[in-house]
C-alpha cells in the first residue's frame, strides 16, 4: 500500500463498529490522512471517538444525522471550512441500520426507516459532498480513478445480493436486504454519472463482522472487526477505474448483484 496516500477522509457512522475501526486504522497508518472527519448523530455520547480525537489532532468529530438533510448540509459546510480550500478525497458512507424482523413482521414504517438511512442517506450525503470531491480531483495530478484521488465508497452487504442472499437462514431482515440492493443500484448510477468527473464509486461488502449489527439473531459473526477492516483498507488501496461501479467484498472479489 506504499502508493496509497489519502489526504482527507470522511466516515459516517464512525462512533462504533466498522466506522470506528476504519477511523482507528487509518490513524495508525505510517502515512495517516491530514484530516479524518468522523461523523455520528451524537458526538457528546461518542466517548471512544472523543478519546481517539484527544490523541490525534488530525481527527475531527462532526455531528451528522444521515436522515436529516439540514444536518447533512451543515456537516458539509463545516467540513468545507475545516479543509480551508482543499478537497475531500474519500467519502465512506458507512452508517446503517437493520430491523430484526421476518417477512411477515415487516412494516411500511420499518421499510421507510431502513431505506432512509441505508439508501437515501448515502444519496443525499454524496450530493452534499460532491463539490469537495470534485475539488479533490482538480487538485490531483493522478491519472485514472483511485481512492487517493476522489472516491465514494458505499458500505453495502452481500445480504443485498439478489443471487446470493447471504445468511437468509440467520435472519430474513427484508427491509435491510432491500435497502442494500437499492444502495447497489445507487452506486452503479453514481459511477456512471461521476466517472467523467474523476470520482471512483464502489459498493463494498465488509464481510460478516462481529459488530452489534453483525451479531444478530443470537448468532456470532465469523470475523472480527479488526480483521475485516484491515481487508477493507487493503482493498481500497488497490481500486482503480477498472472497478468503478462494481459490487465487491472486503478482499476485492466481485460479488453478483
Amino acid at each position: 500500500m506504499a502508493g496509497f496516500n489519502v489526504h482527507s477522509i470522511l466516515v459516517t457512522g464512525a462512533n462504533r463498529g466498522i466506522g470506528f475501526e476504519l477511523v482507528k486504522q487509518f490513524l495508525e497508518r505510517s502515512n495517516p490522512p491530514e484530516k479524518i472527519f468522523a461523523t455520528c448523530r451524537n458526538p457528546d455520547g461518542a466517548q471512544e471517538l472523543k478519546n481517539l480525537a484527544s490523541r490525534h489532532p488530525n481527527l475531527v468529530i462532526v455531528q451528522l444525522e444521515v436522515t436529516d438533510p439540514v444536518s447533512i448540509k451543515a456537516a458539509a459546510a463545516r467540513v468545507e471550512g475545516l479543509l480551508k480550500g482543499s478537497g475531500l478525497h474519500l467519502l465512506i458512507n458507512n452508517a446503517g441500520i437493520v430491523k430484526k424482523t421476518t417477512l411477515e413482521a415487516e412494516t411500511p414504517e420499518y421499510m421507510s426507516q431502513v431505506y432512509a438511512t441505508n439508501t437515501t442517506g448515502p444519496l443525499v450525503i454524496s450530493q452534499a459532498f460532491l463539490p469537495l470531491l470534485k475539488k479533490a480531483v482538480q487538485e490531483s495530478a493522478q491519472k485514472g480513478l483511485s481512492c487517493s484521488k476522489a472516491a465514494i465508497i458505499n458500505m453495502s452487504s452481500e445480504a443485498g445480493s439478489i443471487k446470493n442472499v447471504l445468511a437468509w437462514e440467520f435472519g430474513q431482515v427484508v427491509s435491510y436486504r432491500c435497502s442494500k440492493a437499492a444502495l447497489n443500484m445507487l452506486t452503479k448510477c453514481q459511477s456512471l454519472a461521476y466517472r467523467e468527473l474523476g470520482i471512483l464509486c464502489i459498493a463494498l461488502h465488509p464481510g460478516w463482522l462481529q459488530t452489534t449489527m453483525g451479531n444478530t439473531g443470537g448468532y456470532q459473526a465469523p470475523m472480527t472487526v479488526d480483521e475485516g477492516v484491515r481487508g477493507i483498507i487493503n482493498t481500497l488501496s488497490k481500486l482503480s477505474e477498472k472497478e468503478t461501479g462494481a459490487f465487491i467484498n472486503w478482499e476485492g472479489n466481485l460479488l453478483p448483484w
Side-chain angles (χ1 to χ4, degrees):
M1 292 192 284
F4 186 43
N5 186 18
V6 184
H7 294 292
S8 57
I9 300 175
L10 186 140
V11 182
T12 67
N15 57 308
R16 64 179 183 177
I18 295 170
F20 179 81
E21 189 65 26
L22 278 166
V23 170
K24 179 172 169 287
Q25 289 196 25
F26 269 114
L27 287 169
E28 291 170 349
R29 287 175 55 80
S30 59
N31 57 338
E34 294 175 13
K35 287 287 185 184
I36 299 182
F37 301 100
T39 84
C40 57
R41 286 181 295 177
N42 179 24
D44 290 338
Q47 193 56 54
E48 280 190 290
L49 200 55
K50 289 197 291 186
N51 292 344
L52 204 58
S54 70
R55 303 193 301 271
H56 298 276
N58 55 334
L59 172 58
V60 180
I61 303 173
V62 177
Q63 196 280 331
L64 189 154
E65 166 53 65
V66 300
T67 63
D68 181 0
V70 174
S71 173
I72 294 169
K73 186 176 180 180
R78 186 179 177 208
V79 170
E80 182 179 18
L82 291 168
L83 285 171
K84 299 178 180 179
S86 297
L88 178 69
H89 294 264
L90 180 57
L91 169 61
I92 303 180
N93 285 311
N94 165 74
I97 61 170
V98 62
K99 296 290 185 180
K100 300 174 184 177
T101 61
T102 62
L103 178 59
E104 288 74 19
E106 285 290 357
T107 66
E109 291 76 21
Y110 284 172
M111 290 291 287
S112 296
Q113 290 169 16
V114 173
Y115 196 94
T117 298
N118 294 359
T119 310
T120 308
L123 166 67
V124 179
I125 290 167
S126 299
Q127 290 172 332
F129 286 94
L130 181 61
L132 291 175
L133 290 163
K134 290 165 69 175
K135 188 172 289 187
V137 173
Q138 294 166 4
E139 296 165 355
S140 177
Q142 296 182 34
K143 295 182 179 179
L145 306 181
S146 75
C147 289
S148 298
K149 184 177 182 180
I152 298 171
I153 306 299
N154 292 323
M155 207 62 76
S156 186
S157 172
E158 195 176 350
S161 166
I162 294 171
K163 181 177 181 180
N164 288 358
V165 198
L166 176 70
W168 174 264
E169 65 275 20
F170 296 115
Q172 295 182 9
V173 292
V174 173
S175 56
Y176 178 78
R177 294 178 186 278
C178 291
S179 73
K180 293 302 187 180
L183 179 63
N184 288 348
M185 175 54 82
L186 171 63
T187 306
K188 175 59 77 171
C189 293
Q190 289 174 329
S191 73
L192 295 172
Y194 300 158
R195 183 184 187 118
E196 295 306 312
L197 299 178
I199 301 170
L200 174 76
C201 301
I202 292 290
L204 193 147
H205 167 56
W208 188 3
L209 306 182
Q210 294 169 12
T211 63
T212 302
M213 188 185 297
N215 292 336
T216 186
Y219 297 94
Q220 182 172 345
M223 190 162 56
T224 67
V225 179
D226 175 85
E227 180 184 1
V229 169
R230 290 189 189 284
I232 290 170
I233 293 177
N234 182 55
T235 291
L236 295 182
S237 74
K238 300 174 181 178
L239 295 177
S240 70
E241 59 273 8
K242 293 183 295 183
E243 287 85 23
T244 196
F247 180 26
I248 62 174
N249 69 9
W250 76 100
E251 294 178 308
N253 298 321
L254 284 173
L255 294 175
W257 300 108

